[in-house]
Amino acid sequence: MTAPGDRGVVWLGSPSFPDAAREALGNTRQRANLKHATTVIRDKRLAVASELDDWEELRTAADAIKTRTLRHLDHHLVRLEESVTAAGGTVHWAADAAEANRIVTELVRTTGGSDDEKLEVVKVKSMATQEIGLNEALAEAGITAYETDLAELIVQLGDDRPSHILVPAIHRNRSEIRELFAERMGAWGQPAPEGLSDEPAELAEAARRHLREKFLRAKVAVSGANFAVADTGTVVVVESEGNGRMCLTLPETLITVMGIEKVVPTWADLEVFLQLLPRSSTGERMNPYTSSWSGTTEADGPSDFHLVLLDNGRTDTLADTVGRQALACIRCSACLNVCPVFERTGGHAYGSVYPGPIGAVLTPQLVGVENAASLPFASTLCGACYDACPVKIDIPKLLVHLRAEVVEAERGAGGLPTGEALAMKAAAAVLGSPALLGAAQKAASLGGRALARNGRIGRLPGPFSGWSADRDTPAPPAESFRAWWRKNREGK
């Protein structure tokens, strides 16, 4: 899973969004799973957000903090490095996915055991490590990575891809999960118990038993980070299952891969996000597990801590004064749960680690719009994502901004106009001339009525076939309004 420039983020070979979405729409089981799950999460989020009288003020504060931090990101990152180092940790800088994977692989080889021991790591759910394809890179180096988040475990056992930021296995229902556990758990460790049902409690217990030996055996853990406080060098992970706490405390070595945009200046800033994130993501008032650590402490937790600060296209995104606000994302997935497009197509259609509305604006910037040209168009521009976003990212504005960049990129090096630009130029000429407009209307009326069946026009030939494949329009009238007006006016 790599993209041009070793940036990762997208699954190369994936079909464009329109093609993938068309296939996904035919998967009725997946659509039912998605509709049920997103509706439940959406309703819970609305309920707990409405409990806070200052919800909108918190969103405004989060927006201001992210905007200010991104404007001075270099300063805060240097401050973070100083604080982590002073607390006993080690900071590594990775320009892209290849460099990050190389750093983590070397660290695991150095700290994971002797030459005759099997090298393995346990992992906390992490979008950053998915972005760079870390599991695949470790596997190529002979290192096994075990996902410990329940949904990520389901994805891994099924040799699948995540389809949601918060709930990676949202596209599967519990009967599918039971079958997967029964068939595949044994190949990865302790098998599922005989007679396993699809009751959630039994499935969770099977996962706990399967993972416990891995927690107790692993010498190295790999995590992502939700936030990092520059002033103190504190890294923060929030999660709901307790698997993160096991990974963050039991192994001897902890390696955290963090996008450079996750830094916040102070603990006071962090407090704002810890109110917004759980409500926006899982519809909870607070996270069941909020783990924070600063470097290393003797006889308490891992004795060796490494923080890998990942760029991977973020600096390029930061240079775009309009597009940079996508870096404010706190990965809550609220925009996915309200998006009518995502609810029907699911996350796989986006062909990226980051699905949904935020993926449609973040992925093209991380890998270049030419490598994800269809994603900015994967939206209705209804604005529901902006209303739901806890940090007020104006996703509709970014979509329009990136659509313009896609059009410019399609012009090519020679600056040749696109077919759409030529069509708009021709339309301007016709609309600017009464004579040409009248002639065009007459021709359209004659042609349209010739193509009509039972008063409606179905699929059109040529360049209009794509638009008309799922739409039909009434046959045009025999007489245009302009012609009617002229005739009646002259008859007076």
Side-chain angles (χ1 to χ4, degrees):
M1 182 181 67
T2 57
D6 292 321
R7 284 186 175 181
V9 183
V10 299
W11 288 292
L12 290 187
S14 297
S16 65
F17 181 84
D19 293 335
R22 190 173 295 110
E23 181 179 350
L25 289 172
N27 188 337
T28 55
R29 173 184 280 191
Q30 176 176 280
R31 290 182 64 179
N33 294 346
L34 287 167
K35 181 175 177 59
H36 172 73
T38 55
T39 299
V40 170
I41 298 172
R42 185 165 61 238
D43 291 346
K44 288 177 63 179
R45 182 188 68 83
L46 288 172
V48 295
S50 65
E51 295 175 354
L52 296 182
D53 294 334
D54 61 346
W55 179 254
E56 288 304 315
E57 288 78 4
L58 283 169
R59 292 181 69 212
T60 300
D63 177 26
I65 292 168
K66 282 292 188 178
T67 299
R68 185 178 68 247
T69 303
L70 289 172
R71 189 177 296 128
H72 305 287
L73 187 58
D74 54 345
H75 166 76
H76 296 301
L77 288 172
V78 170
R79 175 63 178 148
L80 175 64
E81 180 182 29
E82 293 171 347
S83 300
V84 170
T85 303
T90 303
V91 175
H92 309 263
W93 297 80
D96 55 26
E99 187 171 8
N101 288 331
R102 178 183 57 76
I103 291 170
V104 175
T105 300
E106 290 178 357
L107 288 173
V108 175
R109 283 174 170 162
T110 302
T111 62
S114 60
D115 293 338
D116 58 346
E117 288 183 309
K118 177 184 177 183
L119 290 177
E120 57 186 19
V121 301
V122 288
K123 288 186 64 201
V124 187
K125 179 179 180 293
S126 164
M127 299 297 292
T129 59
Q130 291 172 6
E131 174 186 326
I132 62 176
L134 179 63
N135 286 12
E136 293 83 352
L138 290 175
E140 289 179 6
I143 302 167
T144 304
Y146 295 110
E147 297 289 352
T148 64
D149 173 85
L150 178 56
E152 289 289 352
L153 172 64
I154 294 167
V155 170
Q156 186 174 52
L157 291 177
D159 194 22
D160 203 351
R161 293 175 177 176
S163 63
H164 191 278
I165 288 176
L166 178 68
V167 194
I170 196 172
H171 56 290
R172 291 188 180 273
N173 60 35
R174 64 189 196 183
S175 63
E176 292 176 282
I177 295 168
R178 188 206 68 79
E179 293 175 8
L180 192 63
F181 279 13
E183 294 173 2
R184 295 284 296 157
M185 259 189 177
W188 286 81
Q190 181 168 324
E194 293 290 335
L196 178 67
S197 77
D198 63 359
E199 287 299 312
E202 287 195 35
L203 295 174
E205 179 62 21
R208 274 195 292 269
R209 290 179 178 276
H210 175 78
L211 292 171
R212 188 163 298 275
E213 62 172 324
K214 295 178 172 56
F215 289 135
L216 297 175
R217 185 178 67 230
K219 295 184 177 181
V220 182
V222 176
S223 83
N226 292 98
F227 308 97
V229 182
D231 275 1
T232 60
T234 303
V235 182
V236 180
V237 166
V238 297
E239 41 108 6
S240 301
E241 300 171 16
N243 64 296
R245 185 68 57 83
M246 300 284 276
C247 292
L248 299 170
T249 56
L250 292 178
E252 299 170 7
T253 300
L254 173 59
I255 304 168
T256 297
V257 181
M258 185 189 92
I260 56 176
E261 80 280 13
K262 296 295 187 70
V263 65
V264 295
T266 69
W267 273 91
D269 298 320
L270 177 65
E271 181 266 341
V272 174
F273 296 104
L274 290 183
Q275 294 186 72
L276 289 167
L277 180 56
R279 287 177 166 85
S280 298
S281 57
T282 56
E284 297 171 296
R285 296 177 182 86
M286 65 182 295
N287 289 94
Y289 296 90
T290 300
S291 301
S292 62
W293 67 96
S294 303
T296 59
T297 302
E298 187 175 355
D300 183 13
S303 57
D304 199 9
F305 170 59
H306 297 267
L307 176 62
V308 181
L309 294 175
L310 177 69
D311 186 329
N312 207 40
R314 286 160 174 79
T315 299
D316 292 341
T317 304
L318 191 65
D320 186 336
T321 55
V322 177
R324 68 169 57 162
Q325 62 175 300
L327 295 176
C329 175
I330 58 174
R331 310 291 192 266
C332 69
S333 76
C335 63
L336 281 69
N337 299 326
V338 299
C339 178
V341 176
F342 176 86
E343 183 179 295
R344 287 157 178 81
T345 65
H348 292 157
Y350 294 81
S352 166
V353 169
Y354 301 109
I358 189 60
V361 296
L362 181 60
T363 299
Q365 295 190 87
L366 293 180
V367 303
V369 292
E370 67 278 8
N371 297 310
S374 66
L375 289 185
F377 299 89
S379 169
T380 63
L381 297 180
C382 66
C385 49
Y386 176 52
D387 293 337
C389 179
V391 293
K392 290 189 173 181
I393 300 173
D394 193 345
I395 294 178
K397 179 179 179 180
L398 290 182
L399 288 165
V400 173
H401 172 68
L402 292 171
R403 289 179 184 185
E405 289 194 2
V406 170
V407 172
E408 290 301 315
E410 288 179 351
R411 290 180 185 272
L416 296 176
T418 63
E420 182 182 11
L422 291 173
M424 291 297 104
K425 189 173 182 179
V430 171
L431 294 174
S433 167
L436 289 175
L437 178 60
Q441 288 177 327
K442 184 175 290 186
S445 176
L446 291 172
R449 283 183 289 131
L451 292 170
R453 297 291 183 273
N454 299 321
R456 303 192 73 80
I457 301 173
R459 185 162 187 167
L460 295 171
F464 302 103
S465 60
W467 186 90
S468 61
D470 301 307
R471 307 170 178 86
D472 52 355
T473 58
E479 185 179 43
S480 71
F481 176 79
R482 293 177 74 251
W484 176 89
W485 176 261
R486 186 179 297 110
K487 181 175 66 176
N488 284 275
R489 183 181 181 187
E490 291 172 353
K492 287 187 177 181

